[in-house]
Structures are given as structure tokens and as C-alpha cells.
Amino acid sequence: MPDVVPAAARAHTEDLGAFVSASPSSYHAALEVARRAEAAGYVRLDEKAAWDVVPGGRYVVVRDGSVIAVALPPSAGATTPFTILGTHTDSTGFKLKPKPTTGRDGWVQAGVEVYGGPLLNSWLDREVELAGRLVTADGTEHLVRTGPIARIPQLAIHLDRSANEGLTLDKQRHTQPVVGLGDVSQADVLAELAAAAGDDVAADAVLGYDVVLAETQPPRAFGIGEALWASPRLDNQLSTHAAITALLAVAPEDLTGIGVVAAFDHEEIGSGSRSGAAGPFLEDVLRRVSAGLGAAEDERARAFAASLCVSSDVGHAVHPNYPERHDPANHPHAGGGPILKINANQRYATDAHGAARWQAACAAAGVPSQEFVSNNVVPCGSTTGPITATRLGIRVVDVGAAILSMHSARELTAVVDPWYLSRAMQAVLAG
């Protein structure tokens, strides 16, 4: 059958696959955004140093597992508004506990804690890796990923004849992965991580770590005409990749405001951290940029009042096996373009003005658009959007790409939708 997916969409989503593969943890994702920005000429800023921000400048700042990239048009001044693309870098799953080496009956296991709200069953019987950061006694941070090292094994149906009638997993007893064989007293998960980090890192020098389990099966296109895309961590690396791709595609002189990508950590657990959307990171960066442009407090407030944040997180496509779970009138389809998220109780921050801005951007980009609103008896989740609106008073519109299997170890979208989303984001940045 003929290829119904535009070549540009296929190229975009293949690059998304490379981004996801490079980003098994939020720390890897933040540094991958920074790497791409620096390769495009952005200057890395250190929060502990003084900043020299000038019109026409392009900058990127990393705070733990979060990253903010800023592009200033040559005409930027004290009251130039910000156009912000807000996303998040973390994904639901499991995080390594202290005293991580456990096990019994000849199996060596890793002790993990549930992170956020994953679909637990989706993590069973997959070869996964440990990934994140180690901090040694001298304060140095080392990124680490082991490659496939662990698996959460499911109980055979012969030992649980009712498994297909309703699988129930205990979050403590049933989710600890196996990593090897032998005597637990002779094993050391932390030593394996230290060895994978390279740099001659000794296990006894590691005094702190933030390490998660990460799916290792590569992203891929499949289905009739290869129009479908399966990948780990689409929530929300799909949006993060779309945002940085959009910002890098717009020349500074074509920006109608100060272009910003703000990709936060810890969204899946409420955003309450120094690097989460509820923390001060974005405000700190915006204030320092404003100060670099000579803005007084009144001028900064005027800039914020004229600013817009597009908060982008994945959303729910209508599930063909469960259509009753969706609103009867609003059915977002995979391949139908970006979704505009609306909620009467402000779980999404979209209002009429934000909706109009987004719909105009989709029209300018020549991409289809659709709306998402929840079935009244199936409450929706939330995003960083309402948090950003509350913290900064900036108008926020919540959008995203439609997917299936949200919070699964491996999620599903249409090949065209990440591309559509990024094109609409470019139109927002270019006005």
C-alpha cells in the first residue's frame, strides 16, 4: 500500500526515537536537550555564575533533571514577552531504593520503589536497565546506564490459575526485579552501577544516587503502512523532543517573543521539587533573563502579562476497545493532530484566549487539531500547566499529542502526531 505518512513526519519521529533512546532517565533527557541546543549554538549557563544575557543570544540551563533553553530575538528588550513551551522529562516506573541489593532462593534482585502511577503489569517480563546519576564523595555527578540488566518476572499461570481473571500485583512483593544468580551476600548492585558509569568510579565512593528502571526495547514504527509508533517514555519525552525541535527550527530574528523551552522533572509525582514546575526554576531563569535585558520590576511584570505558555503533555486517544471511557462528543483520534486539553475544574489551564491562540497556530502551521475533554465520570489527570499559571500568572494553554497505553512501559502513538505537534509549536514561537 502507498506510504500515507509524509517523509518529514517519518524523519521527525525517527529522530524522536533517537531522543528517547538517548534518554533513559530525566537526567539523560535534560542533558540530551542541552546537547542538542549547544550543537545549534546555544551557550550553556551556570546558575552559580553571573549571566551575560544579550538580545539575539541563545542559552541553555540545566538543573538536575530539568532543562530550560532560551532564545532572544535581536530586538528583545525589557518588556518583550516570553513564549514558553512547557514539558516534563520524567516518566512513571520504578526508582532504586537504598540498600538496593536484595534477593532470595538463589536469585539476586534489586530493591525498587514505585515512581508515580505506572501500569504495573506492563513492566512484567521485559529486559530493563538501570539509569540515572551517581554522586561521589567529591560531589561529582556521573550519568550511568547499565543496558539490559533486570527483569520483573511474572508468576507462571500454573501457579496462579486466576491470573487471566484479574491480575493483582502487590507493589512491594511482586515488583522487585531479578538481576542475577547466586549468593546475595556476594552481590552488589551499586558496584554494577559504578562499573557502568566508567570514569574509574568505585562503588564505595558513591554516596548518593537517583536511578530508575528504564525499558530497553527500541522505539519502532509498525502496522499497516508503518503508520503506528511504539516507544517507551512517550509521556512525556514526545513533547520535550517536539518542543526543542521547534525552538531550534525558528531563527532568533523570526521569534515574536523570547522563545523558551522549559522541561521539568518530577511532574509524575506532583512537581514539588527544586527542579519541578512547582519549584522556582522557571521563574529564576525568566527573572535573570529580564534583568539581563535591563528590566525593572514593573517592566518584567508587563512582559509576563503579555506572555504565553504552551504546556504540552501527551493525552488520551480514544481507545477502540473502551470507547465508553471517553466523552461521547469529543473523540481525539490518533493521527488527527494535536489535542487541545480542556477541563472545567482547571486540571488543565486552557481558557478561551489560550484556546484561540493555539487553534490559530495550528491553522497557521497547516496541521489538524482536535479537543480533549474527559467523560464526567472518568476524571482527568493534570499537567505542569496549572502550576505554571499559578506560580507566574502567565496565560497557559494545555495541549499534547494523542496516545494509547499512557503510563505503560511502552506507549503508542501515530507517526504523524509528534510532527504535527512540533509544527504547531513552531507556529506559536513565530507568531
Side-chain angles (χ1 to χ4, degrees):
M1 98 181 258
D3 189 356
V4 297
V5 177
R10 206 170 285 287
H12 175 94
T13 305
E14 289 289 346
D15 189 59
L16 166 62
F19 183 93
V20 170
S21 295
S23 305
S25 75
S26 59
Y27 308 100
H28 289 83
L31 290 181
E32 177 64 10
V33 170
R35 183 194 69 77
R36 289 176 176 231
E38 289 180 279
Y42 282 61
V43 175
R44 183 81 166 265
L45 296 177
D46 182 349
E47 288 194 88
K48 298 176 183 177
W51 291 2
D52 182 18
V53 176
V54 298
R58 295 177 295 169
Y59 311 97
V60 62
V61 190
V62 175
R63 179 185 289 186
D64 298 330
S66 298
V67 58
I68 296 177
V70 182
L72 289 81
S75 60
T79 60
T80 301
F82 296 90
T83 305
I84 304 162
L85 306 177
T87 74
H88 68 87
T89 57
D90 62 321
S91 301
T92 60
F94 299 86
K95 188 174 181 182
L96 198 64
K97 287 184 173 182
K99 299 182 178 63
T101 308
T102 65
R104 59 184 302 170
D105 298 314
W107 295 99
V108 179
Q109 294 178 273
V112 297
E113 183 177 10
V114 176
Y115 180 88
L119 283 168
L120 297 177
N121 65 291
S122 72
W123 286 83
L124 300 177
D125 299 333
R126 294 177 178 273
E127 290 68 52
V128 297
E129 65 180 321
L130 295 170
R133 64 178 179 178
L134 311 178
V135 179
T136 48
D138 61 359
T140 302
E141 184 175 305
H142 305 265
L143 278 192
V144 61
R145 62 186 305 177
T146 61
I149 195 175
R151 179 183 173 111
I152 303 174
Q154 187 165 195
L155 184 64
I157 196 166
H158 312 78
L159 303 177
D160 181 9
R161 295 292 183 178
S162 64
N164 288 331
E165 298 167 15
L167 179 65
T168 300
L169 298 174
D170 183 285
K171 291 181 179 179
Q172 176 60 42
R173 293 184 296 121
H174 300 153
T175 62
Q176 308 308 302
V178 297
V179 296
L181 299 171
D183 185 347
V184 173
S185 67
Q186 302 300 311
D188 189 345
V189 170
L190 195 56
E192 296 294 327
L193 281 165
D199 302 326
D200 296 321
V201 176
D204 58 5
V206 178
L207 301 188
Y209 53 84
D210 295 299
V211 172
V212 298
L213 293 188
E215 162 69 77
T216 58
Q217 186 180 352
R220 64 169 301 165
F222 71 104
I224 297 173
E226 294 196 330
L228 306 177
W229 184 261
S231 174
R233 301 181 292 281
L234 290 179
D235 183 5
N236 188 34
Q237 291 184 15
L238 184 160
S239 294
T240 299
H241 172 264
I244 192 60
T245 300
L247 184 62
L248 298 184
V250 180
E253 58 270 20
D254 293 332
L255 294 166
T256 57
I258 298 171
V260 179
V261 168
F264 301 104
D265 202 354
H266 301 135
E267 188 274 345
E268 297 292 0
I269 54 172
S271 297
S273 69
R274 71 185 295 266
S275 54
F281 187 30
L282 178 57
E283 185 173 7
D284 287 348
V285 171
L286 298 187
R287 283 182 175 275
R288 293 182 75 170
V289 169
S290 290
L293 295 173
E297 185 64 20
D298 177 72
E299 291 170 311
R300 184 203 58 77
R302 289 163 58 191
F304 276 24
S307 296
L308 175 70
C309 175
V310 174
S311 168
S312 181
D313 204 342
V314 292
H316 301 289
V318 171
H319 197 301
N321 298 339
Y322 304 90
E324 72 281 359
R325 298 298 182 117
H326 301 267
D327 180 73
N330 294 277
H331 274 202
H333 292 160
I339 55 175
L340 175 65
K341 298 181 177 182
I342 298 168
N343 181 257
N345 297 303
Q346 286 292 290
R347 299 290 289 170
Y348 305 130
T350 302
D351 64 6
H353 285 282
R357 289 280 298 274
W358 178 251
Q359 299 286 32
C362 289
V367 305
S369 64
Q370 47 192 340
E371 291 83 23
F372 172 84
V373 64
S374 291
N375 184 307
N376 288 349
V377 298
V378 186
C380 67
S382 191
T383 69
T384 63
I387 297 171
T388 299
T390 301
R391 272 200 60 93
L392 301 181
I394 289 174
R395 173 164 280 121
V396 175
V397 56
D398 269 296
V399 306
I403 72 168
L404 292 184
S405 307
M406 190 184 297
H407 286 197
S408 172
R410 194 168 177 85
E411 296 160 322
L412 169 66
T413 192
V415 169
V416 294
D417 281 334
W419 177 62
Y420 282 150
L421 178 65
S422 191
R423 286 176 60 194
M425 288 175 167
Q426 288 183 47
V428 170
L429 291 168

